[in-house]
Amino acid sequence: MILFDLKCENDHVFEAWFKDNAAFKDQSEKGIVLCPNCSSKEVKKALMAPNVSLANSEKKQVSKTELAKAQKFLSDAQKAIESNFDYVGKDFANEARKIHYGESDKKNIYGEASEADAKSLKDEGVAFSSIPWKQKADA
């Protein structure tokens, strides 16, 4: 069995198991591989990182170290964004469009956008990035 990262025409990424590459191809051609988010039959294999097998003790050590580095990087990025960007909340897509089309002054913003809004911004050529955001713990 092999686990593939898959991506539909609407940019939804998901995983699925297949006996082998030929099984994926066969099922895909028959139209029975569906996106779990939108039911699209237009599904292709997404870019995948190779799985490098390590000894179990090595794997745990590398995994914890890399996870800690990634969490620190994201935490530092979040702090920098919160300190240097204006928070626009759920109005992010509208504000980003206004800046992109020159209706508002250029400024760094951050906020929240739905998957549909993010796709729409991307289709319009509005430059933005998305990062995982750690919610602050309640006091």
Side-chain angles (χ1 to χ4, degrees):
M1 295 291 283
I2 185 167
L3 179 66
F4 285 130
D5 286 338
L6 303 175
K7 186 175 185 179
C8 79
E9 65 185 330
N10 296 311
D11 291 329
H12 298 127
V13 179
F14 58 99
E15 296 176 334
W17 287 94
F18 296 91
K19 179 181 176 187
D20 53 26
N21 192 45
F24 165 76
K25 185 177 177 185
D26 180 55
Q27 291 178 32
S28 184
E29 288 172 355
K30 289 179 180 174
I32 57 176
V33 179
L34 301 175
C35 173
N37 296 304
C38 66
S39 299
S40 171
K41 293 181 182 180
E42 296 296 319
V43 175
K44 303 214 181 294
K45 286 190 273 184
L47 186 61
M48 296 172 48
N51 185 4
V52 179
S53 183
L54 300 172
N56 281 341
S57 61
E58 240 184 306
K59 192 182 291 185
K60 289 177 185 170
Q61 187 177 12
V62 170
S63 176
K64 287 179 183 177
T65 301
E66 293 304 313
L67 179 59
K69 286 180 186 177
Q71 287 174 331
K72 178 162 180 11
F73 175 81
L74 289 173
S75 178
D76 290 348
Q78 185 170 336
K79 286 177 187 172
I81 291 167
E82 289 173 333
S83 298
N84 298 296
F85 289 45
D86 292 333
Y87 178 69
V88 295
K90 294 186 185 285
D91 205 31
F92 177 81
N94 291 329
E95 289 297 320
R97 278 189 188 91
K98 287 179 186 176
I99 294 168
H100 177 76
Y101 292 113
E103 298 169 10
S104 290
D105 292 337
K106 287 189 176 186
K107 61 182 176 180
N108 294 323
I109 62 170
Y110 74 104
E112 303 162 41
S114 68
E115 193 172 306
D117 283 337
K119 183 180 182 330
S120 180
L121 289 172
K122 181 180 174 186
D123 291 345
E124 290 178 50
V126 178
F128 71 98
S129 294
S130 177
I131 65 168
W133 202 260
K134 182 179 177 185
Q135 297 298 319
K136 292 183 179 180
D138 290 336

